[in-house]
Amino acid sequence: MIRPLRSLLTDSSDCTYFHAAYAATAKLSLGSVQFDKLVTSNTYIDMTSTLTEINRCLSAVHSAEESYKQANDHTDQALNSLLKSIDIFRQSCARYREFAERQTKKKLESNTSSNSSTPTSTPIHSGRSSLPSADNDWSACIPAIISALQHTSEVLPSAMRIMKRKPWRGKPKQMVSLNEVMSAFVETMVLLAHMRFDIDDEDSYGSAYENLSSAEEMCVFNGFSNGYRWVSNTYYKIGVTLHNAELYAGAVYPLRKACSLLEKDETRASTDTGRLQLCKRYEVLGTCCQKDKRFEDATKAFKLALKRLPSSTIEAFVKEADSLAIYTLMGKHPLIPKLIERYLRATISDESDLEISFASEAMDLRHLESSQKSIIYECELRSMYMLSSSTDCTRQQNAILNALLRHYTARSYPIRRAR
């Protein structure tokens, strides 16, 4: 289809949005088919020329935005087809990326098994953008894919401006909605961030964060709250990758962004599942800050983790308080005792100047009975005993003991009171 349009595409003055959109649709569809064929048949295909044509067509679409003012129903349909083909192309690129990384891992494993005495390349970490072997055909088109996806990320905001300025005529069901375009844009930026991020190249970090920042800005501008969670997940994966590689200083920023963006998704953050997810992310952030000797930041992160603990999680921990020993409860539900210990460890440290505060104060215990609250206090007391060798926290320990003695009366809990 592109042959009759080639002369129009090279002359921007004669190229209308209709022609540019359909030319781009044709090339994007061809690219999707080629990528899917490559993955399913495990046969290398040279994608350079196709991706070059895609970039040229998408540039023509972007340049022809002003010509949409004279659009008709046919131009609307051309734009609609283009938006659908962009999303399908993105999905094909994502499948190719996963396939290429699997192929490279297989090659690394094969090299390791064939020559175990020879050092091999560094294993690929989650979210890595490039493939390590210079003569590997699977990685040859990665830069061109990134370029094509970058062009689609420029066309999508342009399409949203057009749709806001000139809504679909009649709004038939088969036409793409603004939310669907926003989803495609955010997912494209997320994929670009994954493909650009290379743990061995610090310069790639900024490029990945720039893509994620663009996605966040579009979510804010268009009120697209679902996108916050997707961007947050990508920041979290990058942060965990850096944390696992012991690059703690670099991991703090993406982990903090992962937490703050998930907080913005108020619908999810208000559910027990979302609160538990936030709790665990703050825990990872606190651990990273602690290992980087940022004790004040670690304390704040662990405190937020305790605050985000869902009521259902706390209730599950203390519901058998009258029938099971404290050690048994801690073994069955280790999350809360572990969080309490990490919070206190960050506060009670030789290198921390922070005033010792109670972990239980950060938790929402209003819905608990006295005996159930006592389980939380006992966990905190045991953690303080373990950490008191480095810092004098006698005053805090006595305060907890007094609270426990008020709850553990000689009549109701004689054994616990005596202990």
Side-chain angles (χ1 to χ4, degrees), residues 24-36 47 50 54 89:
T25 299
K27 278 299 176 182
L28 286 166
S29 300
L30 175 61
S32 298
V33 170
Q34 288 181 329
F35 276 129
D36 292 342
M47 296 288 294
T50 300
I54 287 173
F89 177 74

Side-chain angles (χ1 to χ4, degrees), residues 185-205:
F185 177 80
V186 173
E187 290 175 350
T188 298
M189 302 311 285
V190 164
L191 178 58
L192 274 170
H194 278 304
M195 296 185 77
R196 282 179 164 154
F197 177 72
D198 182 351
I199 196 170
D200 297 324
D201 180 11
E202 290 188 14
D203 293 337
S204 71
Y205 302 178

Side-chain angles (χ1 to χ4, degrees), residues 408-414 417:
Y408 292 159
T409 63
R411 180 181 295 274
S412 302
Y413 299 97
R417 183 178 177 85

Side-chain angles (χ1 to χ4, degrees), residues 158-394:
S158 171
M160 283 187 276
R161 289 193 295 270
I162 291 172
M163 293 169 69
K164 289 178 179 179
R165 186 170 65 240
K166 194 171 186 179
W168 300 126
R169 297 165 181 81
K171 297 183 180 179
K173 292 183 179 179
Q174 66 270 23
M175 303 298 273
V176 175
S177 67
L178 272 171
N179 277 346
E180 289 174 317
V181 181
M182 265 303 303
S183 297
F185 177 80
V186 173
E187 290 175 350
T188 298
M189 302 311 285
V190 164
L191 178 58
L192 274 170
H194 278 304
M195 296 185 77
R196 282 179 164 154
F197 177 72
D198 182 351
I199 196 170
D200 297 324
D201 180 11
E202 290 188 14
D203 293 337
S204 71
Y205 302 178
S207 299
Y209 298 153
E210 184 179 346
N211 290 135
L212 296 177
S213 179
S214 297
E216 180 187 355
E217 289 173 4
M218 286 294 287
C219 289
V220 173
F221 182 75
N222 292 284
F224 188 67
S225 59
N226 287 340
Y228 293 131
R229 184 169 70 254
W230 304 338
V231 179
S232 170
N233 290 341
T234 308
Y235 272 119
Y236 183 69
K237 289 177 182 177
I238 292 175
V240 169
T241 300
L242 292 169
H243 177 274
N244 292 342
E246 300 183 0
L247 301 173
Y248 304 120
V252 171
Y253 171 76
L255 289 174
R256 184 176 287 128
K257 287 292 292 184
C259 296
S260 63
L261 283 171
L262 193 56
E263 293 273 17
K264 286 187 176 183
D265 187 0
E266 296 178 358
T267 302
R268 182 171 180 81
S270 61
T271 64
D272 282 356
T273 302
R275 288 177 66 86
L276 185 59
Q277 188 177 23
L278 265 171
C279 169
K280 292 180 178 179
R281 289 192 178 182
Y282 277 121
E283 181 187 4
V284 176
L285 172 60
T287 303
C288 186
C289 290
Q290 194 171 27
K291 290 179 178 178
D292 198 39
K293 300 191 183 302
R294 303 184 188 186
F295 296 105
E296 185 174 353
D297 291 338
T299 301
K300 290 178 180 178
F302 288 133
K303 190 172 185 177
L304 285 169
L306 290 167
K307 284 185 175 180
R308 296 299 181 271
L309 272 169
S311 299
S312 58
T313 302
I314 299 174
E315 289 172 358
F317 175 64
V318 300
K319 69 178 182 180
E320 298 177 289
D322 290 335
S323 58
L324 295 178
I326 181 66
Y327 284 114
T328 306
L329 290 174
M330 293 172 66
K332 288 182 66 175
H333 306 279
L335 174 61
I336 292 177
K338 181 176 63 175
L339 274 177
I340 290 174
E341 181 184 348
R342 288 183 171 176
Y343 171 78
L344 292 173
R345 189 178 294 277
T347 307
I348 306 173
S349 168
D350 290 334
E351 301 180 58
S352 175
D353 298 326
L354 298 173
E355 176 68 22
I356 301 172
S357 59
F358 297 108
S360 53
E361 291 177 346
M363 301 169 63
D364 184 7
L365 306 179
R366 293 171 297 176
H367 56 287
L368 299 184
E369 298 175 357
S370 295
S371 60
Q372 294 174 328
K373 290 180 182 178
S374 298
I375 298 299
I376 304 296
Y377 298 150
E378 285 208 51
C379 288
E380 192 164 19
L381 185 61
R382 291 176 186 279
S383 296
M384 281 192 174
Y385 277 143
M386 289 188 294
L387 301 171
S388 60
S389 59
S390 60
T391 302
D392 182 14
C393 47
T394 305

Side-chain angles (χ1 to χ4, degrees), residues 90-102:
R90 175 194 58 77
Q91 295 175 37
S92 297
C93 289
R95 285 191 289 269
Y96 175 81
R97 168 183 165 267
E98 294 173 358
F99 171 80
E101 290 193 351
R102 287 197 303 270

Side-chain angles (χ1 to χ4, degrees), residues 1-6 8-9 15-30 50 53-58 60-61 78 81-82 85:
M1 180 176 179
I2 196 174
R3 287 181 180 274
L5 299 175
R6 191 179 297 277
L8 288 175
L9 292 172
C15 183
T16 66
Y17 201 96
F18 172 83
H19 295 108
Y22 266 120
T25 299
K27 278 299 176 182
L28 286 166
S29 300
L30 175 61
T50 300
E53 291 286 357
I54 287 173
N55 289 340
R56 199 154 65 91
C57 291
L58 289 172
V61 171
S81 298
L82 173 63
S85 64

